[in-house]
Structure formats: structure tokens, C-alpha cells
Amino acid sequence: MKTIIVACGAGVATSTLICDRVQKLLTSQNIQANIIQCTLGDISRYVDQANVIVTSMKVDRSYSIPIVLGISFITGVGVEQTEKEIIESLS
């Protein structure tokens, strides 16, 4: 099963909104995946078990998996492109 890390600054408000949108995307595409919600600082704790990171903030560190900026789920601008990037990262 695939695993997605959803991270924001505090790991609460913004990441909760993004988690909801990612879950709806996964459901619409019939993809089963675990979602780990955390802070940016906690990403390294989970990165070895994940396939993609979706974050509301720019990540200054490099990881071995794709990072998708999910701010479009908050602003509503560019949602389709973000969804495409997430799906491609899980393929």
C-alpha cells in the first residue's frame, strides 16, 4: 500500500485541509493509501516509509521521494496540476 506524508508548519490546520483533499482524490481514483499527517520537522521520521510528501510550505531539505506543494488545495488555484503530480508520484 502507498503512503503519503502531509506536512505543514504546525501539523494541524493546513495539513488537515490538505489531508481531506488528498483523501478525496484517492477515493475518486480508487487508490488505497495511508496518510501520515505531521509537521515539516517530523518528515524525516516517516520518509523511509512514504512514497510522496505533500506540503503547504516550501521544503528546504531534499528527500529521496517526490515533494508536491499542496498549497493549491488551500487557495483553489492549480488544484488539477497538484492532483496530477500526486497521482503520478504514486504510480
Side-chain angles (χ1 to χ4, degrees), residues 54-75:
V54 181
T55 180
S56 62
M57 302 172 70
K58 185 177 184 231
V59 178
D60 292 330
R61 185 172 171 191
S62 295
Y63 293 98
S64 61
I65 61 174
I67 299 172
V68 176
L69 187 59
I71 196 69
S72 67
F73 291 138
I74 307 302
T75 65

Side-chain angles (χ1 to χ4, degrees), residues 2-17:
K2 305 292 184 175
T3 299
I4 301 167
I5 296 173
V6 176
C8 71
V12 182
T14 306
S15 60
T16 299
L17 294 171

Side-chain angles (χ1 to χ4, degrees), residues 3-29:
T3 299
I4 301 167
I5 296 173
V6 176
C8 71
V12 182
T14 306
S15 60
T16 299
L17 294 171
I18 293 174
C19 278
D20 182 54
R21 292 298 301 264
V22 169
Q23 187 58 58
K24 287 178 183 176
L25 171 64
L26 296 173
T27 300
S28 73
Q29 300 294 314

Side-chain angles (χ1 to χ4, degrees), residues 1-6 21-27 29-36 49-54 65-68 73 82-91:
M1 183 177 291
K2 305 292 184 175
T3 299
I4 301 167
I5 296 173
V6 176
R21 292 298 301 264
V22 169
Q23 187 58 58
K24 287 178 183 176
L25 171 64
L26 296 173
T27 300
Q29 300 294 314
N30 294 318
I31 298 172
Q32 292 187 349
N34 295 317
I35 299 175
I36 298 171
Q49 56 189 310
N51 301 92
V52 63
I53 300 164
V54 181
I65 61 174
I67 299 172
V68 176
F73 291 138
T82 302
E83 290 177 339
K84 180 180 176 187
E85 290 177 37
I86 292 169
I87 297 301
E88 288 175 354
S89 296
L90 294 173
S91 297

